[in-house]
Amino acid sequence: MKFMWKFIVRRIIITFPQLILLSVLLFLMAQAMPGDALTGLIDPNVPEEVKEQRREELGLNDPWHVRYVDWVSGIVKGDLGQSFRFKMPVTEVVTDRVINSFWLSLVTLVFTYLIAVPLGMLSGRYNNTLLDSAITTYTYIGFATPIFIFALVMVWVFGYNLGWFPTSGSVAPGLEPGTMEYYLSKFYHLLLPALSMALIQTVSTVQYLRSEIIDTKQKDFIITARAKGASESRVYNRHIFRNSILPIAAFFGYEITTLITGSIFVERIFAYPGMGQLFIESVLLRDFSVVNAVVLLFGIAMILGALLSDIILSIVDPRIRIK
Amino acid sequence: MQTSNRVRGISVENPLLQINHLSTSFRIGDQYYRAVDDVSLSVNKNEVLGIVGESGSGKSALAYSIMRLHNRAKIEGEILFRGKDIMTLKNSEMNKLRGNDMAMIFQDPLTALNPLMPVGNQIGETLLLHQPNISKHERKERVLELLHLVGIPRPNYVYEQFPHELSGGMRQRIVIAIAIANKPELLIADEPTTALDVTIQAQILDLIRELKEDMHSGVILITHDLGVVAEMADRVAVMYAGEIVEIADVVSLFENPLHPYTRSLLNSVPAEGQDRLHVIQGIVPALQYLPREGCRFRERIPWIDPSAHEEHPELHEVEPGHFVRCTCFKQFYFPDKREEAGIYGNS
Amino acid sequence: MAILEVTNLKVYFPIKAGIFNRTVDYVRAVDGVSFVLEEGKTYGLVGESGSGKTTTGRAIIGLEKVTEGKIVFQGKDITKKRARTRELNRNMQMIFQDPYSSLNPKKRVLDIVAEPLRNYEHLSKKQEKMRVQELLELVGLSPESILKYPHEFSGGQRQRIGIARAIALKPKLIIADEPVSALDVSVQAQVLNFMKDIQKELGLTYLFISHDLGIVKHMCDEIAIMYKGRHVEQGTKEDIFERPQHIYTKRLVAAIPEINPRHREKQFQFRKEVEKEYDAAYDDYFNKDGLAYQLQKISDTHLVALPEKG
Ligand SMILES: Nc1ncnc2c1ncn2[C@@H]1O[C@H](COP(=O)(O)OP(=O)(O)O)[C@@H](O)[C@H]1O
Ligand SMILES: Nc1ncnc2c1ncn2[C@@H]1O[C@H](COP(=O)(O)OP(=O)(O)O)[C@@H](O)[C@H]1O
Ligand code: SF4
Ligand SMILES: [Mg+2]
Ligand SMILES: [Mg+2]
């Protein structure tokens, strides 16, 4: 247990340089982009002297490290700059989107594992049977299908043709926030995009779980378990599944990266107001301060995801704690 | 000599385990090949039967067959445990025997333990499976007792540890604790000390011997180390290419080894005053290439006149309790005709 | 004549710990050992796993950094890597324990055996092939095997390929690290016989590392018993097996399985007594860290790590 804490603390310490690196990269990116913080704030027709004065006031002419420190402390205080499209602080633009994306990701993750765990287990336990072939075929199809095409098909079939699900937005208009209907509607809007993403994203987990199980199945300690007189179902539940699922639980954090890429397409197709959609729109409209903020948040999510994975792994696998 | 007599000769009255004409075949390509070929033997209560042979002789295949631990093997013949043929048992009935009445110790104590389960729980599982009624607390007490019994210091501490935190000798003690948790009547130890240092080996063998004395179990001890057999076994079966080629009480086997394979094996271990060791030519052939006609060992002693070999060597009882698969062993000699090393010829 | 002299050799591995991975302590894998190898003899190094045998061998051949001490080979100090001339390096070769993993599976036998030749001798392709075929014949493999890959050979044959590579440059000293531990008895016999044969033929000196006392007794002239990085006893074969003095050696020798079943009760009894003696005398023979004391001479050939107080 002592080792585990050490590992976790050390792992968290490593996260700081990662965050700093991310912020430096973003800062450089922001500098490289046309215009500056002033561009979104001020009428472009104001005379140059006034602009220059404003720049001086805002500290935009300071040396780069002073500006970097200002920039970082701004972020820490929640100041992400000004959106030139929305004409309001980026923080405000982003808040709702972050919440929407969070729920979409969460539901997608739940679906991903709800699909992956039973399919992976079945296919690993009964490998080289018809059932396994069927599941494996699905995973191959999943790998070969680009997410945006699949999402389009889903919208078209279940949204437009069958009309079972809404095809845009995150909630039906006109509902009072806080009511039961409001939350149900939110959930209803999440379902189809989450399912679309999960169905594609889950295939790698299915395959991983399958091969993990097939691998564990022929380990010596499984024979030990049988030699103890454990029934086949106990051998699977207690020894094989447990030992195969643990490494997968650890990948949980890394899934966030996949989720982010997936959400960029899926939110666009489902016109779902989340970070992914915001990202695409802002890129297209060159709303750079928003792009920067989104990339920053994505980056932080990925770094925290990896941190989470490693911590889970260290809790779950006693062999790692020693190191 | 009649077959029935012969089989009785190998066995004794009411053996604990009686195997009759057991064959275990593995599928390679689209054909089955016998890794254990028509083996008959018996083990009594309170007896250690040693099984020796080079690797690839089929020793583990035989052990796994007795426990019915093979996944995809074809097994024929009878395995009578306390007089009842366990080949006919349903899986659920077999599960009641395994770990309870018959148990196994494996060769590699690191891979034989679940890496993600504290060792205490791994021992406790055996108890839980066969004595589901005892309380959790009592179970833990029993596990601690077992840890103590197999010579583990600080049982309370080790109980919570994971396999990788223990040394090889400690892990093998855990494997043994699992095997003896329910005081099995039959204990099969498949190379239990091969992975261990000599001093640890001595301790582990000592432990197995003590446990046998306490529980009056029958023990099958598989090894390729003739010294281990000499110290542990009451009777010894020598296995080659899936067959038993010689079986005798331990003293007869070491002092009067008859089959050329037995003699070759004994002569290949370093002994007092021996400068060169005997080398058995060739290797144990892979399953698909085993000669199935005539004597299987013949191709590894090519200097013997072909006419000296028997067409279909069978196990014959040459002395009470001493069986050899051949009658023509008398014509066997070593190629350089020098004195055979070893202890036999009475010492 | 001494071909190798090791004096007070220490090899420490740092243990890193803490949040900043600082070195907090050392694994004292080899902790001050001294011994001398006479030319043409076989010197056995015995001990339980983890006692530092492999590390000793690797340090001598230059695969491990020497923390302290001195290694003199053929009269030259080779403790520092820079001091190892090509000539000295070629005179010292190593045979590894595992014949399955020590040969590169992607290389043909020809390339494996020729590798040292290519490093040291500039032979034409034809000469090289001939030399390799000679070597293979010497280790009892058919010269046609040169185009085969390691997996096409049995364990014993592979170990002999490893030996062919080791003797390709006609070295003076071979460090054999558990050369037969992974092999079956019959194959073991083959490799051991063969090692004895080429020793006579080429006048080799062996540092023979093993945990199997039966084999060490068969192979070695002189033996050192190693425990936790230190030697507890050194002597001739007879000194060690017939007159063991250190309690650890006694226990090790007593643990050898008795091959005569008639004597086994006696052996068990003897082992029990030794075990009792070991438990009783442990504190006399080891210091408070459980380490052996300095070696002391008790005869011309026989050294034992006896407590300093005497
Ligand atoms: N599951 C299996 N499938 C195919 N062949 C096997 C299997 N298990 C063992 N064999 C083969 O059967 C023979 C006997 O093996 P084994 O019983 O492990 O020998 P031993 O334990 O005496 O070393 C060997 O040729 C081995 O390759
Ligand atoms: N590269 C290394 N880093 C750290 N510790 C090592 C290293 N190599 C060996 N050791 C440690 O040194 C000790 C001696 O190991 P080794 O020389 O391999 O022993 P032996 O060959 O006698 O089994 C062991 O405790 C081992 O864990
Ligand atoms: S002499 Fe008999 S035992 Fe020996 S090889 Fe021939 S048939 Fe087999
Ligand atoms: Mg085996
Ligand atoms: Mg070693």
Side-chain angles (χ1 to χ4, degrees), chain A residues 6-7 9 31 98 106 122 145 159 184 205 218 230 243 262 264 286 301 315:
Chain A
K6 235 185 222 168
F7 176 84
V9 171
Q31 298 299 308
V98 169
L106 191 72
L122 284 173
T145 313
L184 278 177
T205 314
Q218 46 215 14
N243 287 42
I264 291 176
R286 293 168 200 278
I315 294 171

mmCIF file of all heavy atoms in Angstrom, chain A residues 6-7 9 31 98 106 122 145 159 184 205 218 230 243 262 264 286 301 315:
data_model
loop_
_atom_site.group_PDB
_atom_site.id
_atom_site.type_symbol
_atom_site.label_atom_id
_atom_site.label_comp_id
_atom_site.label_asym_id
_atom_site.label_seq_id
_atom_site.Cartn_x
_atom_site.Cartn_y
_atom_site.Cartn_z
ATOM 1 N N LYS A 6 3.160 6.058 -3.094
ATOM 2 C CA LYS A 6 4.346 6.656 -3.688
ATOM 3 C C LYS A 6 4.178 6.762 -5.191
ATOM 4 O O LYS A 6 4.450 7.786 -5.806
ATOM 5 C CB LYS A 6 5.542 5.766 -3.373
ATOM 6 C CG LYS A 6 6.650 6.513 -2.699
ATOM 7 C CD LYS A 6 7.816 5.577 -2.550
ATOM 8 C CE LYS A 6 8.461 5.738 -1.208
ATOM 9 N NZ LYS A 6 9.389 4.668 -0.924
ATOM 10 N N PHE A 7 3.699 5.664 -5.753
ATOM 11 C CA PHE A 7 3.519 5.647 -7.199
ATOM 12 C C PHE A 7 2.541 6.730 -7.629
ATOM 13 O O PHE A 7 2.779 7.487 -8.563
ATOM 14 C CB PHE A 7 2.999 4.268 -7.632
ATOM 15 C CG PHE A 7 2.682 4.181 -9.093
ATOM 16 C CD1 PHE A 7 3.688 3.907 -10.011
ATOM 17 C CD2 PHE A 7 1.394 4.398 -9.552
ATOM 18 C CE1 PHE A 7 3.414 3.854 -11.357
ATOM 19 C CE2 PHE A 7 1.114 4.347 -10.897
ATOM 20 C CZ PHE A 7 2.122 4.069 -11.802
ATOM 21 N N VAL A 9 1.620 9.483 -6.071
ATOM 22 C CA VAL A 9 2.154 10.841 -5.881
ATOM 23 C C VAL A 9 3.140 11.170 -6.995
ATOM 24 O O VAL A 9 3.084 12.227 -7.615
ATOM 25 C CB VAL A 9 2.834 10.966 -4.500
ATOM 26 C CG1 VAL A 9 3.573 12.288 -4.400
ATOM 27 C CG2 VAL A 9 1.795 10.853 -3.402
ATOM 28 N N GLN A 31 0.055 32.957 -30.018
ATOM 29 C CA GLN A 31 0.888 34.049 -30.523
ATOM 30 C C GLN A 31 0.979 34.012 -32.044
ATOM 31 O O GLN A 31 1.024 35.043 -32.703
ATOM 32 C CB GLN A 31 2.304 33.943 -29.943
ATOM 33 C CG GLN A 31 2.352 34.051 -28.441
ATOM 34 C CD GLN A 31 1.811 35.389 -27.960
ATOM 35 O OE1 GLN A 31 2.245 36.424 -28.423
ATOM 36 N NE2 GLN A 31 0.845 35.348 -27.065
ATOM 37 N N VAL A 98 -19.132 22.375 -22.330
ATOM 38 C CA VAL A 98 -18.381 21.400 -21.541
ATOM 39 C C VAL A 98 -19.346 20.461 -20.839
ATOM 40 O O VAL A 98 -19.180 19.240 -20.843
ATOM 41 C CB VAL A 98 -17.479 22.105 -20.505
ATOM 42 C CG1 VAL A 98 -16.902 21.107 -19.513
ATOM 43 C CG2 VAL A 98 -16.358 22.842 -21.205
ATOM 44 N N LEU A 106 -19.823 10.592 -20.967
ATOM 45 C CA LEU A 106 -20.119 9.638 -19.923
ATOM 46 C C LEU A 106 -21.043 8.533 -20.439
ATOM 47 O O LEU A 106 -20.785 7.343 -20.264
ATOM 48 C CB LEU A 106 -20.765 10.359 -18.742
ATOM 49 C CG LEU A 106 -20.859 9.503 -17.500
ATOM 50 C CD1 LEU A 106 -19.475 9.310 -16.892
ATOM 51 C CD2 LEU A 106 -21.797 10.125 -16.480
ATOM 52 N N LEU A 122 -17.848 -13.273 -24.145
ATOM 53 C CA LEU A 122 -18.409 -14.391 -24.897
ATOM 54 C C LEU A 122 -17.419 -14.849 -25.956
ATOM 55 O O LEU A 122 -17.126 -16.033 -26.095
ATOM 56 C CB LEU A 122 -19.719 -13.968 -25.568
ATOM 57 C CG LEU A 122 -20.908 -13.870 -24.626
ATOM 58 C CD1 LEU A 122 -22.102 -13.279 -25.350
ATOM 59 C CD2 LEU A 122 -21.246 -15.252 -24.084
ATOM 60 N N THR A 145 -15.189 0.961 -40.465
ATOM 61 C CA THR A 145 -16.171 2.020 -40.729
ATOM 62 C C THR A 145 -15.740 3.335 -40.084
ATOM 63 O O THR A 145 -15.552 3.393 -38.875
ATOM 64 C CB THR A 145 -17.531 1.617 -40.121
ATOM 65 O OG1 THR A 145 -17.799 0.270 -40.486
ATOM 66 C CG2 THR A 145 -18.631 2.523 -40.635
ATOM 67 N N GLY A 159 -33.077 8.683 -36.983
ATOM 68 C CA GLY A 159 -33.562 10.044 -36.783
ATOM 69 C C GLY A 159 -34.605 10.417 -37.826
ATOM 70 O O GLY A 159 -35.786 10.569 -37.507
ATOM 71 N N LEU A 184 -35.093 14.412 -18.901
ATOM 72 C CA LEU A 184 -35.399 13.286 -19.781
ATOM 73 C C LEU A 184 -35.087 13.641 -21.220
ATOM 74 O O LEU A 184 -34.497 12.859 -21.969
ATOM 75 C CB LEU A 184 -36.873 12.894 -19.647
ATOM 76 C CG LEU A 184 -37.181 12.001 -18.437
ATOM 77 C CD1 LEU A 184 -38.677 11.729 -18.349
ATOM 78 C CD2 LEU A 184 -36.392 10.709 -18.508
ATOM 79 N N THR A 205 -12.000 -2.358 -27.698
ATOM 80 C CA THR A 205 -12.088 -2.951 -26.362
ATOM 81 C C THR A 205 -12.554 -4.403 -26.445
ATOM 82 O O THR A 205 -12.061 -5.263 -25.718
ATOM 83 C CB THR A 205 -13.036 -2.137 -25.473
ATOM 84 O OG1 THR A 205 -12.720 -0.754 -25.626
ATOM 85 C CG2 THR A 205 -12.880 -2.513 -24.020
ATOM 86 N N GLN A 218 -5.167 -19.899 -20.944
ATOM 87 C CA GLN A 218 -4.169 -20.966 -20.950
ATOM 88 C C GLN A 218 -3.023 -20.725 -19.982
ATOM 89 O O GLN A 218 -1.976 -21.331 -20.103
ATOM 90 C CB GLN A 218 -3.643 -21.206 -22.365
ATOM 91 C CG GLN A 218 -3.296 -19.967 -23.118
ATOM 92 C CD GLN A 218 -3.619 -20.159 -24.590
ATOM 93 O OE1 GLN A 218 -4.309 -21.101 -24.957
ATOM 94 N NE2 GLN A 218 -3.127 -19.296 -25.438
ATOM 95 N N ALA A 230 -12.603 -26.042 -8.703
ATOM 96 C CA ALA A 230 -13.499 -24.944 -9.066
ATOM 97 C C ALA A 230 -14.282 -25.317 -10.314
ATOM 98 O O ALA A 230 -13.739 -25.916 -11.237
ATOM 99 C CB ALA A 230 -12.682 -23.681 -9.312
ATOM 100 N N ASN A 243 -9.064 -11.301 -14.096
ATOM 101 C CA ASN A 243 -7.701 -10.962 -14.513
ATOM 102 C C ASN A 243 -7.653 -10.325 -15.895
ATOM 103 O O ASN A 243 -6.697 -9.654 -16.227
ATOM 104 C CB ASN A 243 -6.820 -12.213 -14.500
ATOM 105 C CG ASN A 243 -6.485 -12.640 -13.093
ATOM 106 O OD1 ASN A 243 -7.343 -12.617 -12.214
ATOM 107 N ND2 ASN A 243 -5.254 -12.995 -12.852
ATOM 108 N N GLY A 262 -13.815 11.233 -31.590
ATOM 109 C CA GLY A 262 -15.138 10.804 -32.041
ATOM 110 C C GLY A 262 -16.150 11.937 -31.939
ATOM 111 O O GLY A 262 -16.930 12.186 -32.862
ATOM 112 N N ILE A 264 -15.863 15.062 -32.095
ATOM 113 C CA ILE A 264 -15.746 16.159 -33.065
ATOM 114 C C ILE A 264 -16.644 15.893 -34.275
ATOM 115 O O ILE A 264 -17.355 16.775 -34.753
ATOM 116 C CB ILE A 264 -14.276 16.346 -33.483
ATOM 117 C CG1 ILE A 264 -13.500 16.881 -32.281
ATOM 118 C CG2 ILE A 264 -14.155 17.281 -34.668
ATOM 119 C CD1 ILE A 264 -12.030 17.028 -32.509
ATOM 120 N N ARG A 286 -12.662 30.945 -37.769
ATOM 121 C CA ARG A 286 -11.414 31.542 -37.282
ATOM 122 C C ARG A 286 -11.602 32.291 -35.969
ATOM 123 O O ARG A 286 -11.050 33.371 -35.761
ATOM 124 C CB ARG A 286 -10.828 32.493 -38.322
ATOM 125 C CG ARG A 286 -10.381 31.763 -39.543
ATOM 126 C CD ARG A 286 -10.063 32.695 -40.681
ATOM 127 N NE ARG A 286 -10.096 31.953 -41.931
ATOM 128 C CZ ARG A 286 -9.087 31.215 -42.371
ATOM 129 N NH1 ARG A 286 -7.992 31.138 -41.690
ATOM 130 N NH2 ARG A 286 -9.186 30.571 -43.516
ATOM 131 N N ALA A 301 -8.039 17.262 -20.558
ATOM 132 C CA ALA A 301 -8.812 16.030 -20.399
ATOM 133 C C ALA A 301 -7.944 14.815 -20.700
ATOM 134 O O ALA A 301 -7.984 13.805 -19.996
ATOM 135 C CB ALA A 301 -10.040 16.059 -21.309
ATOM 136 N N ILE A 315 -3.753 0.668 -8.710
ATOM 137 C CA ILE A 315 -4.606 0.147 -7.646
ATOM 138 C C ILE A 315 -4.960 -1.306 -7.948
ATOM 139 O O ILE A 315 -4.994 -2.167 -7.083
ATOM 140 C CB ILE A 315 -5.897 0.982 -7.521
ATOM 141 C CG1 ILE A 315 -5.535 2.385 -7.042
ATOM 142 C CG2 ILE A 315 -6.887 0.330 -6.563
ATOM 143 C CD1 ILE A 315 -6.693 3.352 -7.094
#
